[in-house]
Amino acid sequence: MTVAMSAQAAAGCRVAYATSAQWPGGFTANVQVTNLGDPISGWSLVWTFPSGQRVTQAWNAEVTSSGGRVTATNVSYNGALGTNATVSFGFNGSWTGTNTAPTSFALNGVTCTGSVGGPTSGPPTTRPPTTPPPTTRPPTTPPPAGNAMAAVAAMQPGWNLGNSFDAVGADETAWGNPRVTEALLNNVRAQGFNSIRIPVTWSNHHGAAPNYTIDAAWLNRIREVVNWALDDGFYVMINLHHDSWQWINTMPTDRGGVLNRYNALWTQLAAAFRDAPPRLTFESVNEPQFTGSSGDAQNAELLHELNTSFHRIVRGSGGGNATRLLVLPTLHTSADQARVDELVSTFNALNDPNLIATVHFYGYWPFSANVAGGTRFDATVQQDLVDSFDRVHNAFVARDIPVIIGEYGLLGFDRHTGTIQQGEKLKFFEYLGYYARQRRITTQLWDNGQHFGRTSFQWSDPELFAQIRSSWTTRSGTASSDQVYVPRTGAITSKSLTLNLNGTTFSGLRQGSTDLARGTDYTVSGNTLTLTAAAVTRLVGSRAYGVNATIQARFSQGVPWRISIISHDPPVLSNATGQTGSFGVPTQFRGDQLATMEAKYADGSNAGPHNWTSFKEFDVAFAPDYDGNSITLKPEFFAEVNDGQRVTLTFHFWSGTTVTYQVTRSGSTVTGTTA
């Protein structure tokens, strides 16, 4: 019987620590622990980083930190450690300045000296392990074949080259992005990304049946960009992308035709990339879907057939493909339990240690699209994220099968990144990065050009990227809002926000380079931050409409939380007439910002699209035009408004103000009046 032994039992250990990869700001390390003493049924290894490094993601161990002190404990499947037995785990970390390796470790309280009977109390000594660490691999060498968990951990974080080679059209510029350059990939790598997903749509770039020969120029162009990325040190993923809805979706009614075409493409791709480095991975198909199927059972059967056929073709092509990491999606890349269970069945059938599961995550739909009143990152939105990540963790990661969230973001970003309010957006990404680390899931940001400039090499929203980048390694404090609204007229009172500490401690407020005075400018009681009336008066200045000052709430770690001090009065709307194709409500915003809009008929029923809710979709049914002093009601809204029936609109603003307005459609003519 194996039992846990106390420090008084015969004890001793040896540790080999090696940095297997390093890049600016990050590194991968492998740790091998040998138990030289009596058998133990649970282990805990403690060390202190000498240069302030931090662990950001671990595999084969649960890792916690307090300052530079790190504790790694066993997971469910590797706790038993007999005499002379060895256990290994690894992690990704962050570093600044230097990345000096720790030289002393303690196993279950016993300092590892390479012999039995080492000291059992006090801080670890500085004696190095008696066995030299393994040779350090160069930064671009992946973990050894068969260690898929370690490889996928090394892929974190990842980025998508969206709307380029996946564009449906003549070439990579068909959807408005410029040609991909080597400089773009170099600059993306410099942002700290370790993997790049290159979606590719092949529909317009191959010949007819039965050979479906891929256009040589297109294949060579893909190969060129893949090689640029590999040379940069990226892990790279390529796939069949919009083919999923262009022709693969017809498989229920053309099973043989679709399978022949699919197999022909992957046969050619497997041959073309057979000798590529193991950092190149293949994804069988993006967001698989089927039109006209009989239901879930047939969908699962068809996707299983595609995934297993893909696996057979790639593995059978030999060379590097014999052990290449292969990425298999759920139906629709959904994290719903039924979809996850279906993919688990495929993994069980294939029984291949070099497989990766993938899902996509765009958040709780009402929040992600800003519809149905989903304006805030609230408990419902957070729980949806937790549930999704927990499902894939429990199904795969807990069984040592890695998971990649091949795309993540917010659906509203497809229109523009302002569809979701800035502070709520930042809270979403802060939590997503944190919880992905907790569940040991690698993430790849979807970027179709709206985030990182393809020629400017600048972030369109540096504040957003700072929050995303911080979330890769640590938590950041946030607050209930990033806005403090102060009426333009009347007495000025104190203003309060609730701090979300997220495991940090609050360290103060700052305006520019000047610290605000605690007790005079603000107070903190529990998690309530209160700006005094005197401070608000000074910050709001002349009380001109809009943002008069910005301050930063600073925390013990992570990025600061920006707070805008805003002067406002209730917005004023005016009567108007116009057409359903372009109707604007004249609006004096007077410093306020629009959050959402409700639409109801006189009998209280919901008007407009998504008539199951009174709250319409931001930037689809309506959109503010702050420069033009109007709120646009879009053709999509009037397309589902009953002719001749008056609709009462309620505009909700971020200050908490609501303003009502009435519109009546008569054919293509619209009349709008103040309520």
Side-chain angles (χ1 to χ4, degrees):
M1 180 175 66
T2 301
V3 296
M5 303 301 292
S6 71
Q8 284 70 42
C13 47
R14 180 172 60 242
V15 174
Y17 175 101
T19 299
S20 60
Q22 183 170 301
W23 56 93
F27 69 102
T28 298
N30 298 312
V31 183
Q32 184 180 75
V33 184
T34 302
N35 175 32
L36 302 177
D38 292 334
I40 55 178
S41 60
W43 54 266
S44 175
L45 187 74
V46 177
W47 72 90
T48 299
F49 278 123
S51 306
Q53 302 99 314
R54 295 292 180 91
V55 173
T56 60
Q57 187 177 34
W59 49 94
N60 297 332
E62 296 289 344
V63 177
T64 58
S65 302
S66 177
R69 182 180 172 88
V70 182
T71 302
T73 57
N74 64 275
V75 290
S76 59
Y77 51 82
N78 64 4
L81 202 57
T83 303
N84 294 321
T86 295
V87 65
S88 298
F89 64 93
F91 61 86
N92 287 335
S94 62
W95 64 281
T96 57
T98 59
N99 186 20
T100 307
T103 56
S104 183
F105 300 83
L107 178 67
N108 290 3
V110 176
T111 301
C112 296
T113 64
S115 62
V116 176
T120 62
S121 62
T125 67
T126 57
R127 180 184 296 180
T130 58
T131 298
T135 302
T136 300
R137 300 186 184 95
T140 58
T141 300
N147 196 353
M149 283 292 293
V152 171
M155 293 181 191
Q156 173 67 8
W159 181 83
N160 273 268
L161 181 62
N163 285 25
S164 286
F165 296 108
D166 57 310
V168 176
D171 64 11
E172 66 202 82
T173 68
W175 283 357
N177 276 322
R179 279 181 62 85
V180 175
T181 63
E182 189 172 10
L184 169 64
L185 302 192
N186 295 342
N187 277 273
V188 171
R189 183 75 165 114
Q191 305 306 308
F193 291 100
N194 293 323
S195 62
I196 182 170
R197 182 172 179 256
I198 304 178
V200 185
T201 299
W202 303 89
S203 304
N204 295 351
H205 304 287
H206 65 70
N211 295 326
Y212 301 104
T213 303
I214 296 174
D215 178 72
W218 181 253
L219 182 59
N220 287 336
R221 174 61 173 154
I222 301 302
R223 197 198 315 264
E224 177 182 47
V225 175
V226 165
N227 287 337
W228 287 343
L230 291 169
D231 289 344
D232 269 332
F234 279 114
Y235 283 81
V236 183
M237 185 190 305
I238 61 172
N239 67 0
L240 270 59
H241 202 76
H242 292 305
D243 305 82
S244 60
W245 56 263
Q246 288 198 297
W247 55 272
I248 292 175
N249 64 316
T250 65
M251 197 172 176
T253 54
D254 184 20
R255 190 165 184 159
V258 167
L259 195 60
N260 288 341
R261 186 175 179 182
Y262 178 86
N263 290 349
L265 291 178
W266 271 119
T267 297
Q268 295 172 77
L269 293 174
F273 293 99
R274 179 179 183 272
D275 297 319
R279 282 180 292 108
L280 176 64
T281 66
F282 297 155
E283 178 186 28
S284 63
V285 59
N286 171 71
E287 297 184 353
Q289 54 196 275
F290 302 105
T291 302
S293 76
S294 59
D296 288 349
Q298 187 182 20
N299 289 336
E301 177 187 345
L302 296 176
L303 181 56
H304 177 78
E305 186 169 13
L306 288 176
N307 279 332
T308 54
S309 185
F310 160 74
H311 177 267
R312 173 183 53 79
I313 289 168
V314 175
R315 288 288 181 258
S317 63
N321 292 340
T323 55
R324 189 175 305 284
L325 293 171
L326 303 181
V327 183
L328 306 183
T330 61
L331 185 72
H332 305 294
T333 52
S334 164
D336 290 349
Q337 190 63 59
R339 308 290 78 82
V340 170
D341 291 344
E342 292 160 0
L343 188 59
V344 166
S345 296
T346 296
F347 272 71
N348 289 341
L350 293 176
N351 191 29
D352 183 335
N354 290 320
L355 298 181
I356 302 167
T358 189
V359 296
H360 293 174
F361 188 76
Y362 286 95
Y364 183 62
W365 180 63
F367 172 74
S368 186
N370 195 346
V371 69
T375 57
R376 293 189 180 274
F377 179 72
D378 58 16
T380 300
V381 181
Q382 180 173 309
Q383 192 61 50
D384 175 79
L385 185 154
V386 167
D387 291 345
S388 296
F389 287 18
D390 281 356
R391 285 192 292 269
V392 294
H393 175 273
N394 294 338
F396 297 108
V397 180
R399 298 173 52 206
D400 222 20
I401 298 170
V403 171
I404 293 177
I405 297 179
E407 296 178 15
Y408 77 94
L410 290 167
L411 295 173
F413 284 178
D414 283 345
R415 299 187 293 279
H416 61 80
T417 58
T419 298
I420 290 82
Q421 194 274 334
Q422 184 75 357
E424 305 305 313
K425 174 197 319 174
L426 295 177
K427 286 184 275 190
F428 171 83
F429 283 96
E430 192 281 331
Y431 194 83
L432 186 150
Y434 154 72
Y435 205 70
R437 283 188 289 114
Q438 294 300 109
R439 300 285 78 184
R440 295 188 291 156
I441 297 170
T442 287
T443 59
Q444 295 182 315
L445 177 69
W446 177 255
D447 189 350
N448 62 20
Q450 79 273 64
H451 292 311
F452 191 66
R454 298 290 171 91
T455 56
S456 69
F457 310 140
Q458 300 294 317
W459 292 97
S460 59
D461 187 343
E463 184 178 50
L464 171 61
F465 180 62
Q467 186 67 268
I468 292 172
R469 180 166 52 193
S470 177
S471 76
W472 298 336
T473 58
T474 191
R475 294 219 66 180
S476 296
T478 66
S480 53
S481 179
D482 62 345
Q483 303 175 107
V484 170
Y485 279 90
V486 182
R488 189 171 184 271
T489 58
I492 294 178
T493 61
S494 61
K495 299 291 181 180
S496 295
L497 295 172
T498 301
L499 297 174
N500 306 314
L501 295 174
N502 299 333
T504 72
T505 56
F506 175 73
S507 57
L509 292 180
R510 182 174 294 176
Q511 183 183 19
S513 59
T514 303
D515 289 330
L516 275 64
R518 188 163 184 160
T520 303
D521 293 325
Y522 68 92
T523 61
V524 178
S525 177
N527 289 343
T528 301
L529 168 68
T530 301
L531 290 167
T532 65
V536 174
T537 300
R538 185 178 75 251
L539 291 167
V540 84
S542 65
R543 300 171 83 169
Y545 287 138
V547 177
N548 286 289
T550 58
I551 58 177
Q552 289 184 335
R554 305 179 71 83
F555 302 88
S556 57
Q557 61 189 41
V559 295
W561 181 254
R562 178 184 51 81
I563 303 169
S564 297
I565 312 299
I566 303 169
S567 284
H568 78 106
D569 275 332
V572 174
L573 280 54
S574 303
N575 297 344
T577 57
Q579 300 296 306
T580 55
S582 58
F583 183 80
V585 179
T587 305
Q588 300 174 49
F589 290 98
R590 305 211 294 178
D592 218 333
Q593 296 181 44
L594 185 61
T596 188
M597 180 189 83
E598 288 186 89
K600 293 184 177 182
Y601 294 113
D603 63 3
S605 60
N606 301 325
H610 299 311
N611 62 11
W612 48 271
T613 175
S614 62
F615 289 92
K616 304 297 100 175
E617 187 171 0
F618 196 103
D619 207 43
V620 172
F622 70 98
D625 179 359
Y626 296 109
D627 293 334
N629 298 311
S630 71
I631 299 173
T632 301
L633 301 182
K634 298 199 169 187
E636 292 86 349
F637 172 71
F638 289 111
E640 299 188 46
V641 167
N642 296 336
D643 196 68
Q645 287 191 249
R646 187 177 66 192
V647 177
T648 297
L649 307 176
T650 303
F651 294 103
H652 295 253
F653 293 85
W654 280 104
S655 68
T657 301
T658 59
V659 180
T660 57
Y661 192 81
Q662 293 174 342
V663 293
T664 304
R665 171 190 164 224
S666 179
S668 62
T669 300
V670 180
T671 302
T673 59
T674 56

